[in-house]
Amino acid sequence: MKRHGVKPELKAQVWTVFGRTCWLRMPGCTGWADTVDHVIPVNIGGRNTLANLRPACGSCNRKRWDRVISGYGAVVRMVIGPPAGGKTTYVAEHRMPGDVVVDFDQLARCLCPGVESSHDFDRYVNMVARGAWQGAYRAAARLGDPVGVWCVKTDWLNHRGMDILDEWLALNYEVVVCDPGLEACMYRLEAQHRSEAAKRKAREWYRFGFSAAKVEARREARRNGRPAVVEGTDVGRVRF
């Protein structure tokens, strides 16, 4: 994708007005802004104006690329939780007509027509479905239309789990944690005749000790020191 240059004098103006602290603060952030970032990406109509630019370090600028800040285009929600945690049900109950849903299990079922009730798929189906999920997320995260996007995800609690969460928070995603408790999850998994691998993932989730309260605490910590979007400008619809 072609990068859209910003004139040096406009960069200097951005740094004068907003300072030199990176506004994204993604994992690996250097803290010092040596570039400027478009609040609304150029590819969905963002302009090279002071109102649409913020200071960013090169690492965060590259990592964000042209994903939208949720609310400036698509409104992105990540729905996470253990297997049998009720994620798909939550989305079905809260999504609006026309919303985009990126759900691993639903994608996997589409790859295996006729296998409607199973959540446990062969290894090769899992591999293809993971690629489909990532591709769908990448496209949805770049939508300039004001549409709701629901991404259902279970297997993010790995060595990069908290980094992934921090990326989501930097992009202002809503993070919904579906957490019925380990006992309820295990009961559902047994009733659905799920695999031992699914049960192991559920136990791992609860050993990790993740919760909605921890997400909110992390988001609140991020709010300290982050520049607010200037009200009354063409990008002033959302304040962080």
Side-chain angles (χ1 to χ4, degrees), residues 128-145:
V128 178
R130 279 192 212 100
W133 194 98
Q134 290 293 341
Y137 162 68
R138 283 194 295 269
R142 288 159 172 77
L143 289 174
D145 304 280

Side-chain angles (χ1 to χ4, degrees), residues 178-199:
C178 294
D179 179 11
L182 178 58
E183 184 177 350
C185 282
M186 298 306 288
Y187 177 84
R188 294 173 186 177
L189 291 168
E190 286 287 349
Q192 296 169 6
H193 306 291
R194 298 286 295 276
S195 69
E196 287 302 317
K199 296 172 185 176

Side-chain angles (χ1 to χ4, degrees), residues 146-206:
V147 63
V149 172
W150 300 83
C151 296
V152 179
K153 193 162 180 62
T154 296
D155 61 345
W156 70 279
L157 284 179
N158 52 38
H159 67 284
R160 287 200 64 242
M162 299 312 290
D163 283 353
I164 293 170
L165 173 62
D166 284 339
E167 282 194 24
W168 295 345
L169 296 181
L171 296 170
N172 202 41
Y173 292 176
E174 179 182 348
V175 181
V176 178
V177 181
C178 294
D179 179 11
L182 178 58
E183 184 177 350
C185 282
M186 298 306 288
Y187 177 84
R188 294 173 186 177
L189 291 168
E190 286 287 349
Q192 296 169 6
H193 306 291
R194 298 286 295 276
S195 69
E196 287 302 317
K199 296 172 185 176
R200 184 171 61 252
K201 283 184 179 180
R203 287 190 290 267
E204 288 173 353
W205 172 276
Y206 285 100

Side-chain angles (χ1 to χ4, degrees), residues 47-174:
R47 296 175 294 167
N48 285 343
T49 62
L50 179 63
N52 193 46
L53 295 170
R54 294 293 181 274
C57 73
S59 173
C60 288
N61 207 337
R62 289 187 295 272
K63 191 168 291 184
R64 178 195 170 184
W65 198 239
D66 59 348
R67 287 181 288 177
V68 297
I69 300 292
S70 181
Y72 298 95
V75 176
V76 184
R77 300 174 178 90
M78 288 289 179
V79 183
I80 62 177
K87 301 179 294 298
T88 299
T89 300
Y90 180 92
V91 174
E93 292 174 348
H94 291 83
R95 70 181 181 87
M96 300 296 291
D99 283 358
V100 174
V101 178
V102 184
D103 187 324
F104 178 89
D105 284 343
Q106 292 181 4
L107 289 169
R109 290 190 196 106
C110 289
L111 294 168
C112 292
V115 183
E116 296 297 332
S117 60
S118 175
H119 292 264
D120 300 313
F121 303 96
D122 289 327
R123 184 182 62 85
Y124 59 87
V125 177
N126 283 325
M127 290 178 62
V128 178
R130 279 192 212 100
W133 194 98
Q134 290 293 341
Y137 162 68
R138 283 194 295 269
R142 288 159 172 77
L143 289 174
D145 304 280
V147 63
V149 172
W150 300 83
C151 296
V152 179
K153 193 162 180 62
T154 296
D155 61 345
W156 70 279
L157 284 179
N158 52 38
H159 67 284
R160 287 200 64 242
M162 299 312 290
D163 283 353
I164 293 170
L165 173 62
D166 284 339
E167 282 194 24
W168 295 345
L169 296 181
L171 296 170
N172 202 41
Y173 292 176
E174 179 182 348

Side-chain angles (χ1 to χ4, degrees), residues 205-225:
W205 172 276
Y206 285 100
R207 277 200 298 271
F208 189 81
F210 198 76
S211 67
K214 289 187 177 181
V215 173
E216 288 311 305
R218 209 167 182 94
R219 187 186 295 277
E220 185 61 31
R222 288 188 54 82
R223 287 194 182 104
N224 297 328

